[in-house]
Amino acid sequence: MVVIPASAQYFGQNKMRYKKLNFKVYDTPHFNMYYYLENDTLVKWLAKESEVWYELHQQVFQDTFSRKNPLIIYNNHPEFQQTTAISGEIGVGTGGVTEAFKQRVVMPIMQINQQTRHVLGHELVHAFQYRVLMEGTDSTRLESIGNIPLWMIEGMAEYFSIGKKDAFTSMWMRDAYVNKDIPSLRQMTEQSYNYFPYRYGQAFWSYIGSTYGDTVIMPLFIETAKYGYENAIRRVFGYDAQTISTLWKNSMESTYRNLNKDTTSNPIGISLINRTNGGRMNVSPTISPDGKYVVYLSEQDLFSIDLFLADANTGKTIRKLGSKLTNSDIDEFSFLESAGTFSPDSKQFAFSVFSDGKNKLMSVDVQTGKVVFVESMADIIEFTNITWSPEGDKVAFSGLRNGHSDIYIYNLKTKQLNQLTNDLYSDFQPSFSRDGKYIVFSTDRVALQSDSRSVDIPMNLAIINVVSKEIRNIEIFPGANNLNPHFSSNDQEIYFLSNGDGFRNMYRYLINSNTVEKLTDYFTGISGITEYSPAMSISANDEIVYSYYKKNQYTVYKAKSTDFQAQVVDGNVTDFNAAMLPPNVNRGINVVNTNLQNFNVFQRIDDSQINNIAYQPKFKLDYLANSGVGMSVGSRYGAGIASGVQGMFSDILGYNQIFAALNINGEIYDFGGQVAYINQRSRWNWGGSLSHIPFRYGFNSYELEDFGYGDEYSINTYMIRQFQTQFDAFVAYPFNRHHRFELGGAVSQYNYRVEKWRQSYYYGYGDREKLSNQEARELGLGNFQSAFLQQTSAGFVGDNAVFGIAAPLQGFRYRLEYGRVFGDYNFSTINVDVRKYQRFKPITLAARVYSYMRVGKDEDQLYGMYIGYPYLVRGFENGDFDTSGKISWSDLMGSRMAVANFEVRLPFTGPEKLAVLKSGFLFSDLNFFVDAGLAWSKGNTVKWNKTDADLITETENGQTITYYDSNVRMPVFSTGVSLRVNLFGAMILEPYYAIPINKTRSKFGTFGLNFAPGW
């Protein structure tokens, strides 16, 4: 019997829900909007924006919604990360998600209005895509999306919501051109890790729309869903995918060649942080006021984006200032569009982190790396881009509250929050003047006050008086994004980044003369991960650090302000030719870009068409899968069938989930099923399940049997079935993302069926019979008496492990659990499982100590636990034991077991930055291991090794028999090598070669295969 404790999950990190959110519902002509924001003006703005996007997308998709589409809006990104509507983790870089079965669009209100508008438009494209595939035609269904490459899906969403005017994507394409790395469609499909699907897909669809007209997009999309992109291109255009790849490449090369701009673009200054001393992505650089240090974000440790401190003169890394892997206060960095700040004396560095369901301000001592403080910014859940005041007692930041992004000042001494701006405009990336009297920031107030027709909401610059709160707009480069501003050392100049020339360059604004100077002229640009990411910083001595994008990587450069050759330019003139995706000429019907250029002209629905309705759960299918059907006939075991189906249902917000599964694997006796319910409404998770699960195992033996012709050799198979019918319930409380407490209980009924299958060794005939419990006991098979049990358990679980190619490579896992079993049997269970992974590039040292014990009155009444499985101790699964009899099959079984494992893990083939051998196809780890295990029961004597003193001599039928006392147990050991192979994320195989250290019959060890991820 296997007693299975009731619990939520064995390991796994927690998806936190820190507070209950009381959603309300707005009903519009085509949407049900779920929201809890207490800002009705903004919610109605979102409702009206949704209907405009619906009208725009409908013109291209030529499809209408047969039922209203759900929109679930969260107030900010930290609360969006806690969503129950979407299972799995939501990362900092996820702007929104559209789910397939219910077409739910789930998204947060973003930091700036333009991002919110864009994400909404982008996700609604996905809603149309799913509906077209599932409801629009008879020849496609949801599974058809598997035929569509990711660059087609995401690129279409970007093109339909941004269009062909996009300085950021154009920068990526110019970089591909200058590096002679414009991909073919096959490369984009097979190497999406090298060619970001959003950017390259958007550029491809822009080419298709401009060359053949936007009306060809949907036929190509549908044909791709039916036949794959290569056949679809041939059916729609009449030539193959390679030809259209070449035409697209020629279009880009021709366009960028005609820019008549130097492509060499030698960056100004010294290369401070690059691929040799950092990572590929070195972003958000911040230089200290004294110019000695620079802090930047990088993925150089592979498993997370961390904060690094470096010498500002040499670029040498001094220390890691923060990591979510080692600091329990950090769930994640706000790395995407935020930068930190040094204190005026350059002794501390403060930055925004995700912790306890909100952004918090963490300050670290630069010299020691120790955390000085971690503070919430009053009731501001999300804030970014911190700037420390020159006095040292205050910080300013851009905070998102009630759907609006405003500038706030927080007093570190008095803990008081002062709101400087309070309006519907997005105020972003603040920076103090050197005298502390002013803050310069980016804002969309000029754009929203204008009569612009375009979908774009560009950012201008503004200065606010900290005392009077008077705002002065700096209206330069109309229609451009002017971002990341900083005051110079004398407060007479403002350095900033702008795409006013279609590129992304650094500029300087002279306040007194209202003059604009261009400082760089790069073919690619100065950029962070996104267009709105901070990418430059300036010291008190006018030393500038900036992140330069080239060759698909970000390098931090450092220069003095005097190193730049300033060129006076007209701040009233913009030129977006370089921001247009190729080709420059539109030859077809230009539906997408025409609509986007007239976005604000489209009629908004009236307030009377936006009505509150009651919230209804609307339970619907989230997921359905089957394992196919397999049948067997004619074997010695008779006919059999294998099939299974499983599905998940939930309400619209995912608060309540129902799981159901049915499976059969063999005969009718092997039918199993389970129905489970989970409630995720609050921080407490609770639920229960009802299940009937068959377990089947057995073994073979050679015996003399009488088939009616006298005794003859027979291959006997003893088939044992255990049927567990159980009702269980659990409750779990997560303390944070990595630690939780679980409590569970269950009522179980266990029944058995034991069969003996006989087959003549020489002649092949045979039969089967069902054995009674008494017969099974007499044969030494065990006790198969039916049992009714009640169970309770309590445990602590921890997991911050970072998974590598096929096994964890960094972090820890633990499970400490105690349980009680009552009823027909009475005993306690103790489960201790502690795992630690420590990475020393390029290897990881992994260690596990695992023990499961039944302790108490009836601990030996149940079928023993076996340690010879390959996921416990490798090398003994063949039963190839020593002829001396020291180790037998029964020596590896008991009511108590303890296992210890040690591995040296080397990522062998896979990503270049991680593995020894670069491969885009084969992903594997090479492992050297040592396993040890001990199985014993109450009353056994445990020794390191059995000796002659443990021999028992008996006389039977005149023959002397010598054997080792079965009450004496000894540990078993093995060592060897294995290769874990990740089969495209579907499963992990581990072929291994194990050498038992205990002597066995085998002289050369044992080959085996394990079907499980590395522990």
Side-chain angles (χ1 to χ4, degrees):
M1 178 189 295
V2 180
V3 177
I4 300 177
S7 60
Q9 55 177 332
Y10 193 78
F11 283 131
Q13 298 180 14
N14 309 311
K15 186 172 182 179
M16 301 297 296
R17 285 167 292 280
Y18 291 96
K19 63 181 181 181
K20 292 183 179 181
L21 303 175
N22 298 313
F23 280 87
K24 294 175 281 188
V25 188
Y26 263 145
D27 179 77
T28 72
H30 298 101
F31 299 96
N32 287 148
M33 178 179 288
Y34 297 80
Y35 70 96
Y36 57 96
L37 181 68
E38 299 299 328
N39 182 344
D40 201 52
T41 300
L42 181 61
V43 176
K44 287 186 175 180
W45 177 76
L46 283 169
K48 294 177 181 181
E49 291 273 300
S50 303
E51 291 293 340
V52 174
W53 280 120
Y54 176 85
E55 186 174 351
L56 266 62
H57 295 337
Q58 185 189 38
Q59 292 184 26
V60 186
F61 280 95
Q62 293 295 300
D63 185 53
T64 58
F65 287 178
S66 59
R67 50 191 166 76
K68 296 188 178 183
N69 205 91
L71 299 178
I72 303 175
I73 308 296
Y74 286 84
N75 286 7
N76 47 63
H77 207 283
E79 291 172 357
F80 166 59
Q81 289 180 263
Q82 303 167 48
T83 182
T84 51
I86 302 297
S87 60
E89 290 297 316
I90 303 291
V92 174
T94 303
V97 179
T98 302
E99 166 271 333
F101 276 94
K102 301 174 187 173
Q103 291 88 49
R104 289 173 292 185
V105 172
V106 188
M107 60 169 285
I109 296 170
M110 307 295 286
Q111 276 279 325
I112 58 179
N113 293 317
Q114 171 61 30
Q115 290 174 309
T116 303
R117 172 179 280 179
H118 166 235
V119 170
L120 181 60
H122 177 106
E123 296 303 328
L124 286 179
V125 172
H126 293 322
F128 268 96
Q129 288 171 336
Y130 285 132
R131 286 179 178 268
V132 164
L133 295 180
M134 296 174 69
E135 304 169 6
T137 69
D138 295 331
S139 53
T140 61
R141 52 185 180 175
L142 183 59
E143 290 83 352
S144 302
I145 204 166
N147 293 329
I148 309 175
L150 187 60
W151 57 264
M152 262 196 170
I153 295 170
E154 296 295 351
M156 180 186 294
E158 288 289 271
Y159 176 57
F160 284 6
S161 57
I162 299 175
K164 67 181 297 178
K165 178 192 171 187
D166 189 344
F168 186 69
T169 297
S170 293
M171 179 187 73
W172 280 58
M173 296 305 107
R174 292 194 304 271
D175 183 61
Y177 161 73
V178 76
N179 292 302
K180 296 180 171 53
D181 192 25
I182 300 172
S184 66
L185 299 187
R186 174 168 292 183
Q187 286 177 297
M188 288 165 58
T189 303
E190 298 176 354
Q191 302 175 36
S192 59
Y193 48 86
N194 284 333
Y195 304 102
F196 191 43
Y198 288 70
R199 306 279 75 83
Y200 287 92
Q202 178 189 359
F204 175 78
W205 283 120
S206 178
Y207 165 76
I208 292 296
S210 297
T211 306
Y212 303 98
D214 292 330
T215 52
V216 80
I217 290 176
M218 280 316 296
L220 180 57
F221 179 76
I222 294 298
E223 293 299 301
T224 301
K226 294 178 183 177
Y227 309 111
Y229 77 94
E230 292 179 311
N231 289 326
I233 288 172
R234 189 174 291 106
R235 293 171 70 92
V236 172
F237 298 111
Y239 40 78
D240 59 24
Q242 184 55 51
T243 300
I244 206 164
S245 293
T246 302
L247 292 173
W248 176 44
K249 178 180 180 180
N250 293 341
S251 173
M252 285 216 285
E253 290 177 340
S254 174
T255 300
Y256 295 138
R257 189 183 303 115
N258 291 333
L259 288 175
N260 295 320
K261 191 177 181 70
D262 183 9
T263 60
T264 56
S265 295
N266 294 319
I268 297 169
I270 63 170
S271 175
L272 195 64
I273 311 294
N274 48 52
R275 193 72 178 264
T276 60
N277 61 355
R280 184 189 68 82
M281 189 168 59
N282 309 297
V283 294
S284 299
T286 304
I287 192 169
S288 60
D290 61 12
K292 293 182 179 180
Y293 305 107
V294 62
V295 171
Y296 64 99
L297 288 161
S298 177
E299 89 309 352
Q300 59 186 272
D301 277 355
L302 298 179
F303 302 118
S304 63
I305 292 182
D306 296 321
L307 202 63
F308 293 88
L309 175 74
D311 187 293
N313 294 314
T314 65
K316 182 179 179 180
T317 299
I318 298 173
R319 67 175 50 86
K320 187 185 293 185
L321 282 186
S323 171
K324 69 176 185 178
L325 297 180
T326 57
N327 194 312
S328 60
D329 291 312
I330 303 175
D331 288 338
E332 188 65 88
F333 286 106
S334 299
F335 67 83
L336 202 61
E337 290 164 352
S338 182
T341 180
F342 278 93
S343 60
D345 58 8
S346 302
K347 293 183 178 180
Q348 293 184 47
F349 186 80
F351 50 98
S352 175
V353 299
F354 285 86
S355 180
D356 295 334
K358 61 170 66 175
N359 281 132
K360 291 183 180 179
L361 186 67
M362 174 178 284
S363 181
V364 177
D365 185 282
V366 171
Q367 291 295 326
T368 65
K370 293 183 178 179
V371 175
V372 179
F373 63 80
V374 180
E375 291 191 21
S376 299
M377 298 290 97
D379 63 342
I380 306 299
I381 302 298
E382 181 178 2
F383 64 89
T384 58
N385 293 292
I386 306 94
T387 176
W388 213 310
S389 71
E391 300 89 353
D393 60 341
K394 294 183 286 292
V395 291
F397 54 83
S398 173
L400 183 63
R401 181 164 66 178
N402 293 327
H404 294 312
S405 182
D406 293 301
I407 305 298
Y408 296 83
I409 290 181
Y410 182 78
N411 193 304
L412 296 171
K413 294 181 179 179
T414 66
K415 315 301 181 187
Q416 296 297 310
L417 188 69
N418 178 22
Q419 186 171 357
L420 294 188
T421 63
N422 186 10
D423 47 50
L424 56 84
Y425 309 116
S426 297
D427 301 323
F428 197 55
Q429 295 178 333
S431 182
F432 268 109
S433 62
R434 303 296 171 176
D435 60 12
K437 295 180 180 179
Y438 299 93
I439 290 176
V440 63
F441 60 98
S442 293
T443 178
D444 60 10
R445 57 191 62 239
V446 169
L448 290 179
Q449 291 169 2
S450 71
D451 57 358
S452 171
R453 303 159 66 97
S454 173
V455 70
D456 298 328
I457 310 177
M459 307 288 284
N460 67 287
L461 302 180
I463 298 174
I464 186 170
N465 186 302
V466 172
V467 177
S468 68
K469 301 183 181 180
E470 180 184 356
I471 297 174
R472 171 194 166 189
N473 285 313
I474 302 174
E475 298 188 41
I476 52 177
F477 296 141
N481 273 327
N482 304 303
L483 299 162
N484 209 181
H486 296 276
F487 279 101
S488 62
S489 59
N490 60 13
D491 284 339
Q492 300 302 306
E493 302 157 347
I494 295 173
Y495 291 81
F496 65 100
L497 302 176
S498 178
N499 59 13
D501 61 352
F503 297 88
R504 188 83 189 283
N505 281 301
M506 187 188 303
Y507 293 84
R508 181 165 58 202
Y509 174 71
L510 283 60
I511 298 175
N512 293 331
S513 63
N514 199 33
T515 302
V516 179
E517 296 176 337
K518 185 176 183 179
L519 302 182
T520 64
D521 190 17
Y522 295 151
F523 189 74
T524 50
I526 299 173
S527 177
I529 300 175
T530 77
E531 181 175 3
Y532 300 98
S533 300
M536 65 170 290
S537 173
I538 185 168
S539 75
N541 302 314
D542 286 344
E543 297 165 298
I544 299 173
V545 291
Y546 62 92
S547 57
Y548 174 66
Y549 178 76
K550 191 173 183 179
K551 293 185 178 179
N552 196 26
Q553 59 189 23
Y554 300 84
T555 302
V556 175
Y557 281 82
K558 176 192 172 187
K560 296 179 181 179
S561 61
T562 54
D563 294 338
F564 298 95
Q565 296 182 355
Q567 175 188 355
V568 177
V569 295
D570 188 345
N572 297 313
V573 175
T574 53
D575 180 2
F576 294 116
N577 283 331
M580 305 299 290
L581 291 168
N584 291 331
V585 178
N586 294 315
R587 298 184 178 90
I589 300 174
N590 192 6
V591 179
V592 172
N593 292 284
T594 301
N595 285 342
L596 292 174
Q597 290 163 12
N598 293 282
F599 186 87
N600 292 318
V601 178
F602 281 82
Q603 183 69 38
R604 266 54 178 173
I605 61 173
D606 190 78
D607 285 356
S608 62
Q609 295 176 277
I610 306 174
N611 300 298
N612 269 313
I613 60 173
Y615 170 77
Q616 296 178 341
K618 295 183 179 179
F619 264 89
K620 290 184 179 179
L621 182 68
D622 284 337
Y623 173 81
L624 184 67
N626 70 79
S627 58
V629 177
M631 299 188 67
S632 67
V633 294
S635 73
R636 62 174 297 215
Y637 303 110
I641 185 171
S643 182
V645 62
Q646 55 185 322
M648 184 179 80
F649 302 81
S650 70
D651 59 5
I652 198 71
L653 295 174
Y655 288 154
N656 304 279
Q657 293 183 332
I658 297 175
F659 300 86
L662 297 174
N663 185 273
I664 186 169
N665 186 19
E667 300 181 77
I668 190 65
Y669 312 113
D670 302 307
F671 177 86
Q674 181 180 38
V675 176
Y677 168 78
I678 296 177
N679 185 291
Q680 304 180 108
R681 180 70 174 85
S682 67
R683 186 164 182 169
W684 288 90
N685 298 324
W686 59 272
S689 70
L690 179 64
S691 62
H692 175 77
I693 302 174
F695 298 92
R696 187 174 62 177
Y697 52 95
F699 60 92
N700 295 324
S701 67
Y702 293 92
E703 301 173 15
L704 287 173
E705 296 284 346
D706 184 359
F707 291 90
Y709 310 104
D711 288 345
E712 58 182 288
Y713 281 107
S714 171
I715 304 172
N716 290 353
T717 300
Y718 294 93
M719 190 71 67
I720 303 167
R721 288 181 172 90
Q722 173 186 291
F723 305 102
Q724 178 201 56
T725 303
Q726 176 172 291
F727 171 76
D728 64 65
F730 77 91
V731 61
Y733 182 82
F735 300 106
N736 51 44
R737 186 173 178 178
H738 302 131
H739 305 272
R740 66 177 177 270
F741 169 74
E742 294 180 358
L743 187 66
V747 178
S748 310
Q749 175 71 41
Y750 292 89
N751 296 299
Y752 298 88
R753 180 183 178 91
V754 182
E755 293 180 336
K756 178 181 178 181
W757 297 73
R758 302 190 306 169
Q759 184 177 31
S760 172
Y761 184 80
Y762 295 106
Y763 305 107
Y765 47 73
D767 56 23
R768 63 186 287 190
E769 64 174 319
K770 181 179 180 296
L771 301 182
S772 67
N773 183 46
Q774 180 63 31
E775 290 172 320
R777 290 175 68 96
E778 291 175 356
L779 289 171
L781 301 182
N783 180 18
F784 298 106
Q785 188 68 39
S786 298
F788 181 71
L789 303 178
Q790 303 91 52
Q791 307 171 53
T792 60
S793 64
F796 290 93
V797 183
D799 187 345
N800 79 338
V802 177
F803 206 82
I805 292 175
L809 294 183
Q810 182 75 21
F812 64 80
R813 284 177 166 178
Y814 71 84
R815 185 177 190 90
L816 308 174
E817 186 174 33
Y818 174 80
R820 285 286 294 158
V821 176
F822 308 92
D824 290 338
Y825 298 106
N826 196 314
F827 57 86
S828 298
T829 60
I830 300 171
N831 184 11
V832 176
D833 192 342
V834 180
R835 311 175 186 192
K836 176 63 179 174
Y837 317 99
Q838 188 65 51
R839 181 166 170 78
F840 302 94
K841 296 180 183 178
I843 66 169
T844 288
L845 301 183
R848 173 177 72 169
V849 176
Y850 170 70
S851 178
Y852 189 87
M853 296 188 292
R854 304 185 192 121
V855 180
K857 173 186 173 185
D858 298 315
E859 64 175 85
D860 291 325
Q861 297 301 309
L862 306 181
Y863 201 73
M865 296 174 289
Y866 183 60
I867 63 171
Y869 293 117
Y871 52 83
L872 293 175
V873 180
R874 287 158 284 196
F876 295 90
E877 62 275 13
N878 290 341
D880 193 12
F881 303 114
D882 182 11
T883 54
S884 68
K886 280 188 177 181
I887 302 174
S888 66
W889 183 74
S890 61
D891 285 307
L892 302 183
M893 294 188 67
S895 61
R896 308 175 185 186
M897 69 173 180
V899 172
N901 310 93
F902 177 80
E903 287 189 356
V904 179
R905 295 174 177 171
L906 175 67
F908 189 54
T909 58
E912 179 181 9
K913 192 76 174 179
L914 180 63
V916 174
L917 302 177
K918 180 183 178 182
S919 174
F921 176 76
L922 181 63
F923 300 90
S924 66
D925 285 343
L926 182 64
N927 312 285
F928 301 90
F929 64 82
V930 177
D931 293 341
L934 174 67
W936 77 103
S937 299
K938 180 173 62 175
N940 289 160
T941 300
V942 176
K943 292 185 176 182
W944 280 108
N945 190 27
K946 296 179 183 180
T947 65
D948 291 345
D950 303 311
L951 287 171
I952 295 176
T953 301
E954 292 182 350
T955 301
E956 184 177 329
N957 297 325
Q959 293 184 342
T960 301
I961 301 174
T962 302
Y963 59 92
Y964 283 94
D965 187 352
S966 61
N967 288 317
V968 178
R969 297 298 177 90
M970 59 180 282
V972 294
F973 301 89
S974 67
T975 186
V977 61
S978 74
L979 185 73
R980 291 193 182 99
V981 181
N982 191 325
L983 298 179
F984 313 106
M987 66 181 302
I988 292 175
L989 296 181
E990 183 191 11
Y992 62 85
Y993 173 68
I995 303 174
I997 296 176
N998 306 81
K999 186 180 178 182
T1000 65
R1001 293 191 187 97
S1002 174
K1003 296 180 180 180
F1004 304 103
T1006 301
F1007 289 96
L1009 185 63
N1010 201 1
F1011 296 87
W1015 49 264

